[in-house]
Each structure stands twice: as C-alpha cells, then as structure tokens.
Amino acid sequence: MSDPRPSSSAGSESERSLFGEILDWMLAPLLFVWPLSIAFTHYFANNVANFPYDQALREHVTAISRQVKLVNGKPVLSLPASARALLRADETDNVYFHVVSRDGKLLAGDRDLPMPDLDIDPAALSGEIYFRDIELKGQDVRVAYSYVADGQMPRDRWVLVEVAETMEKRTQLANKIVASVILPQFIIIPLAVMLVWFGLSRGLRPLTRLRKTIENRDPADLSPIATHRVPEELEPLVEAFNEMLERMKRNVEAQQRFVADAAHQMRTPLTGLKTQAQFAIREADPEALRHALRQIAVGVDRAGRLVNQLLTLARAEGGESAQQSHEPLDLTLLVREVVEDWVVLALEKRIDLGFEAEGTAMVSGNPFLLRELAKNLIDNALRYTPAGGHVTCRVISTEAAIIFEVEDNGIGITEAQAEMVFERFYRVDDASTEGSGLGLAIVQEIAVQHDASARLRPNPVGRGAIARVVFRAWRPPTPPPPLPDDFSELYRQSPPIGT
C-alpha cells in the first residue's frame, strides 16, 4: 500500500513512510469490517425478506381457520374451489396446505405435508400462529400452522391448519437487498480510499513544508525555526530541534572563538621563537648563543602554557563538561591537593602560600575542571604577588553555600578593572608579569558550568585582591525512615484494608 524506504544500514528493517503507516492503519480495519458488514447485511436481509411472506402465510392460515366449523362435534371445512385455486396461484414458489384432524384424518389439502410434533395445552394453542422450517421434496419450505380448538374439546377433536411455501421468492428478495447494499460499496469504498489519500496528503502538508524549510536553509544558518505556522502536534518536535540548533550554535561559536584566539595568541610567541632561533643561528659567541637558547626555552614554556590554557578554555566552554556527570566531592580535599602542588613554585618566588579550611565542604562538580579552576586562581595570585608577599587559599562552608577564596597582597586591582578581568586576554594596566590573560576567563567558564558565581575584588583590608567562587552546597538525599523491628505496632496503626 506504500513504498518502503531503504534503510541506511545493511541488514536492518526498512523504515516505512509516515504517510503509508497512517494509511495502512486507516484502511486495514476497513478491509476487516467490510466482509463483516456483508455477513450482517445478509442476515438482516433474510429477516427483512421473511417478514412480508410470513405475513402472507399468516393471513392464509387465518383465512382457512375461519372456514373450519364444528358440526355435531365434528370438524367440517367449507373451502370453495376458487379459494383453493387462488391459494396455489404462485408462479415462483410451490404452495402447500392441509387441514388435518388430530386423529390424522385429512379434511383438505396435501397429505405429504408433515405435522408438527407438539404436545401443548389447546387453550394456549388456539388462535396462535406459529412458524417452522422443514425440507419437503428436496426443497426448503417455510410452514405456518395453527390449531383450531376449543378449551372444552377433547384433544382428539383438534384441527391442524398448515400453509407452506418454498423459499425462492424470499431468497430472491434477500439477494436483491444484499445487492442493493453491497454494490454501491464497490463505488463508495474506492471513493473513500481516494478521499482518505487526499485528506492525508493535505494533513501531512505541514510536515512536507517543514522538511523543505530545513532543506532550504543555509548550512551556516543555525537560527531557530519559526513556530507560528507549525501545527500543535509538531511544536514539541520543532522546539526540540531549535534547542539542538542552539546547542550547536554555542559549540560552533566556541570553536570559532578558540580558533580565533589560538591564531591570535600563538602568532606572537611563534614569531618570537623564530626570531630567537634566527639570532642563535647567526651567533658565534657561545655566551650569546646560550642566552638565545634560554630565551627560546622561555618562549617554549610560555607557548606551552598558552596552548594548555586555550585547550582548557575550549573544553570548559565547548559543552563537553556539561555532558560529563558531576559527582559529590569534598572541595576542601581537592583545594588542599592543588595548593600542595604549588608550594614549590611559591617557595621559589619567596611567597608565603597558605591554606585555611574547617571540616568538609561538599559540592557537586567535575573534579578535573574544579582542579583547573583552583590552579588558575592560585597561578593568577602568585603571578601578581611580588616576592615576600603572601597568598592564602581558604574554603568556607555554610548551610547553603561553599565559598572558595584566594587572597593575595599583590599589585591589586581597581573596581573598574574588577569588572573586566574575566574577559579573555585582559590584563591589568600596570601588570609587569608574563601572562596570557586567559586564567580568569577559564575560571568564569568553569564556574558557569557548575552553576556557581566567580568575582574578583580589591582586598578590603589592604593591598591586593580577593578572588571568590561561590558554589551551591551539596546535601545527600534524605533516606526513608527505617522500618520498625516490631511490626505489631505498625499493624495496629494501619487502617483496615478496604477502609
């Protein structure tokens, strides 16, 4: 009924079109109901065809019964010859009748017509007309019969009146009724199929329009699809598709930013490395050559750090971390481990690196990204703190939030600079240290991924700055109350079943 579409994978079942699927489910019940309707039509047509001819038999039995008289206690039939001829005047069916006394004496009619096998009170039979179907001379015959009797008469005085006819006219009438109902269906059903086909084509037109809208879109167009002309049933599909486009748009923008940032930031260190390499090639003085190689090593370290930060930023903002499952973890232990990794570098710079925390601080997050967040905040503080200064990392746990702070007494920032330090490649004006300007941008992206807020403000108690990231506190789900050891008390408290 519909053409299957080939599947994209070999060996798998082909997917059928939605149009064909709906058409099948609409027409398959029709093909099942049609033979059923023919059977019902035939049954009711026979009932309808029997009614007028049964009524005619009833009238014949009534008319003959009225001609039966009791003379001196004996039944006598006075049926004129013209009435008998009229009774048998049927060009299609054979008509039989007889009038028989209870003792089997034929008063008139056909002797071959069998008598019914009844043993009922004559008072209940008198005047009532009954029907039965028999087979006579190889033909189906419909019989109407009645007993002419008086309640005071003995049973052997009853008179049976039967009129029967073959069923050819009934069959012909039933067939005409069936044909008059069935034949128009051969026109109506194909017409209905065509109307259903047309209706489905019109009804599925919004799907076709939506498909063409998507096909005609520019490959770079990730704007949402308008829903004002979309049917109500397709709105959830279009909204889900728009959400997917929005995610793709964010990923593409993140990739484009990463490519632009990498191209912009890598150009300078690579140019410097090339220049230093050219100087080293031309130098003949061993001391000058060693200086050039040291500069190359410094440039390689700077380029490597920049590449690592760019990759971390791309991972944080590219949506990968959002797809990773967060897990409950103790931020105190995580920050302590990160601080321990930076102690050696702090000692080399003669900076006092400290850590403060009380108890556990449970948050829900990704361990790798949270380590990157802590590393970038500590690295930023160490870079902008001169020798002899101090950097303090602390974790503060409250009822609703977990606060991670990194405090330093470095060069500090102004309120205006505090609003811009989380932008990419932004560095404070008076910064004299090497840096890429990506550390705080990475912190901001990771904080967003963890539904946290990150801020950097001037140190209110002196020189320097305080970086603060506020997380939601994680709380374990409340377990259900334990069942009592003694269930008898529980049964007493429970209402009876059915109340």
Side-chain angles (χ1 to χ4, degrees):
M1 192 168 295
S2 59
D3 295 333
R5 294 177 301 180
S7 177
S8 59
S9 59
S12 61
E13 295 183 359
S14 59
E15 294 292 337
R16 304 191 61 190
S17 67
L18 180 62
F19 180 87
E21 196 73 18
I22 297 176
L23 193 64
D24 285 350
W25 280 105
M26 293 184 66
L27 298 183
L30 182 61
L31 296 178
F32 171 77
V33 171
W34 191 25
L36 199 62
S37 68
I38 295 176
F40 277 109
T41 301
H42 189 271
Y43 171 78
F44 287 108
N46 287 329
N47 290 339
V48 171
N50 281 333
F51 180 78
Y53 295 109
D54 284 352
Q55 187 65 25
L57 289 178
R58 186 190 301 273
E59 293 174 356
H60 292 332
V61 171
T62 302
I64 295 175
S65 298
R66 290 174 180 173
Q67 303 302 320
V68 178
K69 308 295 183 182
L70 295 176
V71 179
N72 297 326
K74 295 182 179 181
V76 176
L77 176 64
S78 55
L79 187 63
S82 59
R84 298 184 184 187
L86 181 62
L87 187 63
R88 296 183 183 274
D90 194 317
E91 298 179 355
T92 305
D93 285 313
N94 296 323
V95 179
Y96 308 93
F97 83 97
H98 69 189
V99 180
V100 184
S101 62
R102 181 63 178 176
D103 57 4
K105 181 180 179 181
L106 180 65
L107 300 181
D110 303 293
R111 187 177 297 276
D112 296 336
L113 195 61
M115 297 178 60
D117 185 12
L118 293 176
D119 189 8
I120 304 176
D121 183 6
L125 290 173
S126 179
E128 294 293 332
I129 299 176
Y130 301 92
F131 293 88
R132 59 192 174 97
D133 295 321
I134 64 172
E135 185 176 342
L136 181 63
K137 298 179 181 180
Q139 292 181 306
D140 294 330
V141 177
R142 181 74 165 170
V143 181
Y145 62 96
S146 177
Y147 282 93
V148 179
D150 189 350
Q152 303 300 325
M153 292 175 56
R155 186 170 298 182
D156 57 356
R157 299 288 181 88
W158 295 357
V159 176
L160 172 65
V161 177
E162 285 189 310
V163 179
E165 69 175 356
T166 55
M167 304 178 68
E168 184 65 26
K169 292 193 302 292
R170 299 166 186 262
T171 302
Q172 293 178 1
L173 179 59
N175 291 338
K176 290 181 179 179
I177 295 174
V178 172
S180 64
V181 175
I182 298 301
L183 290 179
Q185 293 183 5
F186 285 99
I187 301 176
I188 294 175
I189 289 180
L191 181 61
V193 171
M194 294 177 61
L195 292 177
V196 168
W197 187 287
F198 176 76
L200 280 177
S201 301
R202 297 280 298 182
L204 294 179
R205 185 171 294 179
L207 276 177
T208 304
R209 184 168 59 246
L210 179 61
R211 175 180 59 83
K212 292 181 178 179
T213 300
I214 297 175
E215 288 178 348
N216 295 333
R217 289 172 68 93
D218 188 87
D221 185 7
L222 297 178
S223 60
I225 299 175
T227 59
H228 63 278
R229 295 185 61 190
V230 176
E232 181 180 354
E233 292 78 9
L234 292 179
E235 283 187 4
L237 175 63
V238 175
E239 291 174 357
F241 188 75
N242 286 339
E243 292 177 1
M244 183 188 68
L245 288 178
E246 182 63 27
R247 293 193 298 269
M248 292 179 60
K249 184 178 180 181
R250 289 197 298 266
N251 291 338
V252 170
E253 290 175 351
Q255 293 176 359
Q256 292 174 346
R257 286 197 302 268
F258 172 76
V259 172
D261 295 342
H264 174 73
Q265 292 299 314
M266 291 301 296
R267 186 179 296 112
T268 299
L270 291 178
T271 302
L273 288 174
K274 182 178 180 180
T275 302
Q276 294 295 335
Q278 290 174 347
F279 285 159
I281 292 172
R282 292 195 300 266
E283 287 292 343
D285 184 10
E287 185 63 28
L289 179 60
R290 283 193 296 270
H291 176 73
L293 292 178
R294 282 195 296 268
Q295 291 298 108
I296 291 176
V298 173
V300 170
D301 291 340
R302 187 182 302 116
R305 182 176 181 274
L306 176 61
V307 170
N308 288 333
Q309 285 192 319
L310 285 172
L311 292 176
T312 301
L313 180 62
R315 181 175 182 180
E317 70 179 0
E320 179 180 347
S321 61
Q323 299 173 4
Q324 297 173 351
S325 59
H326 290 187
E327 60 185 56
L329 53 88
D330 187 358
L331 190 63
T332 299
L333 295 178
L334 185 143
V335 173
R336 184 191 301 274
E337 294 174 357
V338 176
V339 171
E340 292 174 352
D341 294 338
W342 286 85
V343 168
V344 176
L345 180 61
L347 292 175
E348 292 178 355
K349 292 187 174 185
R350 293 184 292 124
I351 297 175
D352 180 16
L353 177 60
F355 175 70
E356 300 175 358
E358 293 182 1
T360 60
M362 300 300 297
V363 298
S364 177
N366 180 269
F368 171 80
L369 293 182
L370 291 181
R371 283 190 177 89
E372 290 294 326
L373 180 143
K375 285 167 54 178
N376 279 276
L377 286 180
I378 297 173
D379 177 59
N380 185 76
L382 292 176
R383 285 181 178 275
Y384 292 96
T385 301
H390 66 266
V391 175
T392 302
C393 302
R394 62 176 63 93
V395 178
I396 305 171
S397 179
T398 65
E399 182 67 24
I402 303 297
I403 303 173
F404 172 44
E405 287 186 348
V406 178
E407 179 183 355
D408 67 74
N409 64 344
I411 62 174
I413 59 171
T414 64
E415 290 291 345
Q417 291 171 339
E419 301 297 330
M420 298 183 291
V421 290
F422 289 101
E423 297 180 3
R424 300 180 185 189
F425 310 115
Y426 177 82
R427 302 177 69 239
V428 294
D429 296 337
D430 55 352
S432 59
T433 59
E434 296 291 340
S436 62
L438 287 175
L440 293 180
I442 293 173
V443 170
Q444 180 71 12
E445 289 294 338
I446 296 176
V448 170
Q449 294 294 340
H450 290 78
D451 195 20
S453 62
R455 300 182 64 186
L456 183 66
R457 290 291 180 265
N459 195 334
V461 296
R463 189 179 180 184
I466 297 179
R468 174 178 295 176
V469 183
V470 182
F471 298 90
R472 293 179 184 273
W474 179 84
R475 294 290 181 267
T478 304
L483 293 175
D485 296 333
D486 184 9
F487 287 95
S488 59
E489 181 65 24
L490 182 63
Y491 291 150
R492 286 195 296 270
Q493 296 177 358
S494 301
I497 297 176
T499 61

